[in-house]
Amino acid sequence: LAEHFNGALPEITFEILGVARSLADVMGANVQALLIGQGASGLVSQLGAADTVLLLDEGGQELLCPDLALTLLQRFIEQKTASLLLLGGTNLTFGMGARVAMRTGLPLVNFCRGVRVENGALVCTSALFGGKMLIDVCLPENCGILNISPGSFPVEAGKRAQAPAVREIAKPTAECQAV
């Protein structure tokens, strides 16, 4: 999920893209960035680390609508469009990971500060007790939700000059489900 605020992409979006690109290159997967909101189409060119941007340029909605994002993320997981979801641990998206995990049954790694692949397994490092303890978690079948702690990964790794493919998506017609 690519966060944006006041017409700009925050650093956490590039941290997430960098991690996703690195994992995708090692695991032979694709990176898709979900971009939702008013004026979102003007930000697509900055998401070059993604293979595809799933775009919903939602007029009149400057801030991310959590229920809309949750509905779309749940749909992508259920349709097997995504098996690993990376979210920023920011004020805009914090708590979304737990809600998507509850809806889909996928495991959640909160406060994620490191991600690597060891012998084909995805290993995530999570900070506990305010960072006093770090614990490594392996995700079953390399599927799950990572709530990335801001400042944990290099921003520059998520910035690439190439233009991603764009797939416009429709706004769900059903009412967003509250959890």
Side-chain angles (χ1 to χ4, degrees):
L1 180 62
E3 292 185 27
H4 61 94
F5 184 70
N6 286 338
L9 297 167
E11 289 184 348
I12 188 65
T13 294
F14 297 110
E15 288 183 62
I16 289 170
L17 281 173
V19 170
R21 177 80 273 147
S22 173
L23 291 173
D25 290 347
V26 170
M27 300 175 87
N30 291 315
V31 175
Q32 298 180 41
L34 175 60
L35 186 59
I36 305 169
Q38 179 180 344
S41 58
L43 301 171
V44 169
S45 65
Q46 297 176 54
L47 301 174
D51 296 303
T52 306
V53 173
L54 306 172
L55 176 66
L56 176 56
D57 197 334
E58 176 69 1
Q61 191 73 10
E62 185 176 343
L63 290 176
L64 178 68
C65 172
D67 284 338
L68 175 60
L70 287 166
T71 299
L72 290 170
L73 293 170
Q74 179 181 354
R75 178 191 300 167
F76 295 143
I77 290 168
E78 289 173 348
Q79 293 174 349
K80 305 294 185 205
T81 304
S83 58
L84 185 64
L85 173 61
L86 282 68
L87 299 169
T90 68
N91 291 339
L92 289 177
T93 57
F94 202 80
M96 291 179 80
R99 292 173 69 186
V100 174
M102 187 183 79
R103 289 181 179 191
T104 62
L106 285 177
L108 167 67
V109 178
N110 219 356
F111 307 109
C112 186
R113 291 192 178 172
V115 183
R116 65 189 181 281
V117 177
E118 287 183 5
N119 300 319
L122 188 62
V123 181
C124 308
T125 303
S126 177
L128 303 176
F129 305 108
K132 292 182 175 93
M133 179 185 286
L134 299 177
I135 186 167
D136 285 343
V137 178
C138 289
L139 290 175
E141 300 177 23
N142 296 333
C143 296
I145 302 163
L146 307 181
N147 196 29
I148 304 294
S149 291
S152 297
F153 297 94
V155 172
E156 291 305 314
K159 294 183 177 182
R160 303 228 175 142
Q162 64 212 45
V166 177
R167 190 176 103 208
E168 292 192 28
I169 57 175
K171 184 175 180 179
T173 54
E175 286 295 315
C176 294
Q177 165 186 331
V179 176

